[in-house]
Amino acid sequence: MCYLFESFKGWKIYCEEKNVTLHDSVIEYEVEQKNAESNQIKAGILNAYQVMKDAVKTGLEEEMTSRSGMINNGAKKVFNHPLAVLSPEFQKLIARALAAKEVNSCMGRVVAAPTAGASGILPGTLVTLQEIHGLSDEKIVEGLLVGAGIALIIEEKASLAGAVGGCQAETGSAAAMAAGAMVYCLGGYTDQVFNAVAITIQCMLGLVCDPVAGLVEVPCVVRNASAASIAFSSTQIALADVSSVIPVDECIEAMGEIGASMESRYKETAMGGLAATLTGQQISKRVLIQDIEILPDDESTE
Ligand code: SF4
């Protein structure tokens, strides 16, 4: 059944011919790949969603300061800030995406969906969508399964790794998974789900991977917030049947082509972009000195 996740076009044809839903087709695939029962697959996804919800809560309630000091309780500040430029729901969306990602930057437990660098986007978007629409956990699990199918195709046609395709491949893919999942959870049909993916990818194309000091903190945490907001806007656009014009498979191919042409300094090497700025370099030196200072004596003198 592996061909199923080679393209969005193929995924749609498969589901139509077999008369199965998008999320059931992912369960079928997982059952075959893992030699497991469908209820085990659903239970695993439900467990992953609980970890996502816990990460949001942890990030909003506990101390979140990273060892480098670059991350310092940003999610709580956004959540509680009284001067709003966003609607209350939007403010919570941003804070939740920041919260879950800050947990990752502070070495807490998250779901790498699809990577740890992008681990705030699905929690932020889905927890907020669930709250706005009163959705059940079971409905969110269906959305997450569709998100998994989206990731399988992006991995096949382009990449999910910043080291291969830049940040578009990490936060861009997570935002596309989230947008597709949200449209699905709200009852959107297959073309709307795929259109949401296409629009999201169009908005994220070209984003480079340039983590300061090689740590997945800056700009990663704030990019999780912006990617979550793009996922929301793409969901709204797709639900209104506004076309991406460029079909989703071609959008993913464009992302692959852009990723392949990116110089290596923009692919997680911390040698370009924000990592290469004067301040980025200073932070990098300070973090390196911190690391040397905490090495045991016998290791630091070798
Ligand atoms: S900048 Fe690089 S490390 Fe950070 S989230 Fe993006 S892809 Fe991941």
Side-chain angles (χ1 to χ4, degrees):
M1 201 197 289
C2 286
Y3 77 93
L4 171 58
F5 293 107
E6 282 177 359
S7 70
F8 286 92
K9 191 175 172 192
W11 190 10
K12 183 182 172 191
I13 291 170
Y14 177 90
C15 291
E16 285 175 351
E17 285 180 353
K18 300 270 179 180
N19 197 23
V20 291
T21 61
L22 288 177
H23 79 270
D24 277 334
S25 69
V26 179
I27 291 177
E28 274 182 31
Y29 174 83
E30 288 291 305
V31 163
E32 189 181 293
Q33 291 293 307
K34 297 190 172 138
N35 200 18
E37 302 285 333
S38 64
N39 57 0
Q40 291 174 302
I41 302 297
K42 282 188 200 163
I45 299 285
L46 184 60
N47 185 45
Y49 186 49
Q50 189 57 51
V51 174
M52 290 182 186
K53 288 198 279 191
D54 290 346
V56 168
K57 191 167 184 295
T58 302
L60 289 174
E61 292 180 359
E62 295 182 17
E63 173 64 26
M64 285 293 135
T65 307
S66 63
R67 203 162 65 76
S68 73
M70 288 192 285
I71 302 307
N72 180 17
N73 295 298
K76 284 190 280 294
K77 290 173 191 165
V78 172
F79 195 89
N80 295 316
H81 197 68
L83 181 59
V85 292
L86 304 167
S87 71
E89 291 88 358
F90 211 141
Q91 191 167 352
K92 283 193 224 169
L93 167 71
I94 301 301
R96 285 168 176 152
L98 292 173
K101 179 62 191 79
E102 284 181 356
V103 169
N104 165 249
S105 294
C106 295
M107 304 297 156
R109 190 164 180 243
V110 294
V111 179
T115 62
S119 57
I121 297 162
L122 280 157
T125 51
L126 294 181
V127 168
T128 304
L129 188 83
Q130 183 171 34
E131 183 179 85
I132 294 171
H133 289 276
L135 301 173
S136 64
D137 279 357
E138 288 67 32
K139 181 54 72 180
I140 299 292
V141 165
E142 291 179 8
L144 279 168
L145 284 161
V146 171
I150 292 165
L152 283 167
I153 296 171
I154 296 176
E155 188 175 33
E156 181 69 26
K157 289 176 82 77
S159 173
L160 298 170
V164 177
C167 199
Q168 56 170 2
E170 281 200 18
T171 57
S173 297
M177 291 165 68
M182 287 194 287
V183 170
Y184 194 73
C185 285
L186 295 178
Y189 50 88
T190 301
D191 284 342
Q192 287 179 326
V193 172
F194 292 177
N195 202 34
V197 174
I199 291 165
T200 306
I201 293 296
Q202 289 184 4
C203 296
M204 301 292 291
L205 282 181
L207 195 58
V208 300
C209 172
D210 50 355
V212 171
L215 300 170
V216 190
E217 298 182 12
V218 173
C220 318
V221 171
V222 292
R223 280 188 188 159
N224 273 252
S226 59
S229 60
I230 286 175
F232 255 58
S233 70
S234 300
T235 299
Q236 192 75 73
I237 293 167
L239 283 169
D241 279 328
V242 178
S243 171
S244 64
V245 179
I246 308 296
V248 60
D249 283 308
E250 293 177 41
C251 292
I252 306 297
E253 282 155 18
M255 187 169 92
E257 182 256 322
I258 291 167
S261 71
M262 260 180 208
E263 293 181 28
S264 62
R265 65 197 161 118
Y266 300 129
K267 293 183 183 179
E268 221 171 288
T269 54
M271 294 172 74
L274 295 170
T277 59
L278 185 59
T279 302
Q281 291 293 299
Q282 287 167 347
I283 293 169
S284 183
K285 275 191 203 126
R286 177 169 58 72
V287 167
L288 186 64
I289 290 165
Q290 266 179 3
D291 285 348
I292 291 169
E293 281 173 348
I294 62 163
L295 279 174
D297 284 349
D298 54 340
E299 282 186 50
S300 57
T301 52
E302 275 175 6

mmCIF file of all heavy atoms in Angstrom, residues 115 117-118 162 166-167 170-171 208-211 216 219-220 223-224 268, ligand 1:
data_model
loop_
_atom_site.group_PDB
_atom_site.id
_atom_site.type_symbol
_atom_site.label_atom_id
_atom_site.label_comp_id
_atom_site.label_asym_id
_atom_site.label_seq_id
_atom_site.Cartn_x
_atom_site.Cartn_y
_atom_site.Cartn_z
ATOM 1 N N THR A 115 8.721 17.245 13.616
ATOM 2 C CA THR A 115 10.053 17.281 14.231
ATOM 3 C C THR A 115 9.946 18.033 15.560
ATOM 4 O O THR A 115 8.972 18.748 15.800
ATOM 5 C CB THR A 115 11.052 18.060 13.339
ATOM 6 O OG1 THR A 115 10.585 19.422 13.231
ATOM 7 C CG2 THR A 115 11.184 17.461 11.948
ATOM 8 N N GLY A 117 11.665 20.560 16.383
ATOM 9 C CA GLY A 117 11.740 21.990 16.086
ATOM 10 C C GLY A 117 10.387 22.607 15.785
ATOM 11 O O GLY A 117 10.171 23.799 15.974
ATOM 12 N N ALA A 118 9.456 21.780 15.333
ATOM 13 C CA ALA A 118 8.121 22.267 14.965
ATOM 14 C C ALA A 118 7.061 21.743 15.933
ATOM 15 O O ALA A 118 5.882 21.703 15.581
ATOM 16 C CB ALA A 118 7.802 21.815 13.534
ATOM 17 N N GLY A 162 14.901 20.210 8.573
ATOM 18 C CA GLY A 162 15.557 21.489 8.330
ATOM 19 C C GLY A 162 16.937 21.310 7.725
ATOM 20 O O GLY A 162 17.393 22.130 6.924
ATOM 21 N N GLY A 166 15.602 23.134 4.830
ATOM 22 C CA GLY A 166 15.401 24.432 5.488
ATOM 23 C C GLY A 166 14.179 24.395 6.399
ATOM 24 O O GLY A 166 13.501 23.365 6.527
ATOM 25 N N CYS A 167 13.880 25.549 6.997
ATOM 26 C CA CYS A 167 12.777 25.606 7.963
ATOM 27 C C CYS A 167 11.412 25.423 7.300
ATOM 28 O O CYS A 167 10.468 24.988 7.950
ATOM 29 C CB CYS A 167 12.822 26.922 8.742
ATOM 30 S SG CYS A 167 11.897 26.877 10.281
ATOM 31 N N GLU A 170 10.371 22.012 7.997
ATOM 32 C CA GLU A 170 9.967 21.665 9.370
ATOM 33 C C GLU A 170 8.699 22.411 9.785
ATOM 34 O O GLU A 170 7.636 21.824 9.932
ATOM 35 C CB GLU A 170 11.095 21.992 10.366
ATOM 36 C CG GLU A 170 12.165 20.936 10.365
ATOM 37 C CD GLU A 170 13.034 20.947 11.618
ATOM 38 O OE1 GLU A 170 12.644 21.533 12.648
ATOM 39 O OE2 GLU A 170 14.128 20.344 11.562
ATOM 40 N N THR A 171 8.837 23.724 9.980
ATOM 41 C CA THR A 171 7.651 24.464 10.436
ATOM 42 C C THR A 171 6.607 24.555 9.312
ATOM 43 O O THR A 171 5.413 24.575 9.574
ATOM 44 C CB THR A 171 8.021 25.870 10.939
ATOM 45 O OG1 THR A 171 8.696 26.582 9.905
ATOM 46 C CG2 THR A 171 8.906 25.805 12.178
ATOM 47 N N VAL A 208 14.397 29.644 5.577
ATOM 48 C CA VAL A 208 15.681 28.971 5.826
ATOM 49 C C VAL A 208 15.776 28.497 7.278
ATOM 50 O O VAL A 208 15.045 28.961 8.149
ATOM 51 C CB VAL A 208 16.872 29.903 5.510
ATOM 52 C CG1 VAL A 208 16.856 30.332 4.063
ATOM 53 C CG2 VAL A 208 16.891 31.112 6.449
ATOM 54 N N CYS A 209 16.693 27.589 7.513
ATOM 55 C CA CYS A 209 16.952 27.076 8.863
ATOM 56 C C CYS A 209 18.250 27.711 9.371
ATOM 57 O O CYS A 209 19.325 27.440 8.838
ATOM 58 C CB CYS A 209 17.083 25.560 8.814
ATOM 59 S SG CYS A 209 17.628 24.847 10.381
ATOM 60 N N ASP A 210 18.146 28.561 10.387
ATOM 61 C CA ASP A 210 19.313 29.336 10.840
ATOM 62 C C ASP A 210 19.332 29.492 12.366
ATOM 63 O O ASP A 210 19.372 30.606 12.892
ATOM 64 C CB ASP A 210 19.303 30.722 10.163
ATOM 65 C CG ASP A 210 17.957 31.435 10.287
ATOM 66 O OD1 ASP A 210 16.996 30.838 10.804
ATOM 67 O OD2 ASP A 210 17.886 32.614 9.868
ATOM 68 N N PRO A 211 19.301 28.366 13.084
ATOM 69 C CA PRO A 211 19.176 28.437 14.541
ATOM 70 C C PRO A 211 20.409 29.038 15.220
ATOM 71 O O PRO A 211 21.529 28.586 15.003
ATOM 72 C CB PRO A 211 18.983 26.970 14.946
ATOM 73 C CG PRO A 211 19.642 26.189 13.863
ATOM 74 C CD PRO A 211 19.454 26.979 12.598
ATOM 75 N N VAL A 216 17.819 24.842 19.142
ATOM 76 C CA VAL A 216 16.494 24.941 18.520
ATOM 77 C C VAL A 216 15.618 25.860 19.390
ATOM 78 O O VAL A 216 14.652 25.443 20.007
ATOM 79 C CB VAL A 216 15.891 23.539 18.324
ATOM 80 C CG1 VAL A 216 14.627 23.616 17.469
ATOM 81 C CG2 VAL A 216 16.899 22.635 17.633
ATOM 82 N N PRO A 219 15.445 31.190 15.786
ATOM 83 C CA PRO A 219 14.086 31.735 15.771
ATOM 84 C C PRO A 219 12.993 30.681 15.919
ATOM 85 O O PRO A 219 11.811 31.010 15.720
ATOM 86 C CB PRO A 219 14.018 32.355 14.382
ATOM 87 C CG PRO A 219 14.787 31.374 13.534
ATOM 88 C CD PRO A 219 15.935 30.912 14.407
ATOM 89 N N CYS A 220 13.365 29.456 16.242
ATOM 90 C CA CYS A 220 12.426 28.330 16.139
ATOM 91 C C CYS A 220 11.140 28.554 16.925
ATOM 92 O O CYS A 220 10.049 28.253 16.429
ATOM 93 C CB CYS A 220 13.122 27.063 16.621
ATOM 94 S SG CYS A 220 14.817 26.936 16.019
ATOM 95 N N ARG A 223 8.872 31.048 15.322
ATOM 96 C CA ARG A 223 8.373 30.528 14.037
ATOM 97 C C ARG A 223 7.230 29.528 14.250
ATOM 98 O O ARG A 223 6.384 29.356 13.379
ATOM 99 C CB ARG A 223 9.511 29.884 13.241
ATOM 100 C CG ARG A 223 10.345 30.925 12.542
ATOM 101 C CD ARG A 223 11.346 30.324 11.596
ATOM 102 N NE ARG A 223 12.236 31.371 11.119
ATOM 103 C CZ ARG A 223 13.426 31.153 10.609
ATOM 104 N NH1 ARG A 223 13.884 29.914 10.496
ATOM 105 N NH2 ARG A 223 14.168 32.150 10.190
ATOM 106 N N ASN A 224 7.216 28.857 15.394
ATOM 107 C CA ASN A 224 6.088 27.968 15.679
ATOM 108 C C ASN A 224 4.809 28.786 15.817
ATOM 109 O O ASN A 224 3.739 28.380 15.379
ATOM 110 C CB ASN A 224 6.355 27.152 16.950
ATOM 111 C CG ASN A 224 7.133 25.869 16.665
ATOM 112 O OD1 ASN A 224 6.594 24.780 16.736
ATOM 113 N ND2 ASN A 224 8.408 26.010 16.299
ATOM 114 N N GLU A 268 20.455 24.229 8.950
ATOM 115 C CA GLU A 268 20.723 23.768 10.312
ATOM 116 C C GLU A 268 22.198 23.746 10.696
ATOM 117 O O GLU A 268 22.571 23.174 11.716
ATOM 118 C CB GLU A 268 20.114 22.365 10.508
ATOM 119 C CG GLU A 268 19.446 22.205 11.863
ATOM 120 C CD GLU A 268 18.647 20.913 11.996
ATOM 121 O OE1 GLU A 268 17.583 20.832 11.358
ATOM 122 O OE2 GLU A 268 19.084 20.023 12.709
HETATM 123 S S1 SF4 B 1 15.113 27.198 12.204
HETATM 124 FE FE1 SF4 B 1 15.857 25.135 11.795
HETATM 125 S S2 SF4 B 1 16.033 24.140 13.797
HETATM 126 FE FE2 SF4 B 1 14.668 25.935 14.025
HETATM 127 S S3 SF4 B 1 12.573 25.129 13.706
HETATM 128 FE FE3 SF4 B 1 13.304 25.895 11.737
HETATM 129 S S4 SF4 B 1 14.164 24.044 10.763
HETATM 130 FE FE4 SF4 B 1 13.998 23.588 12.940
#
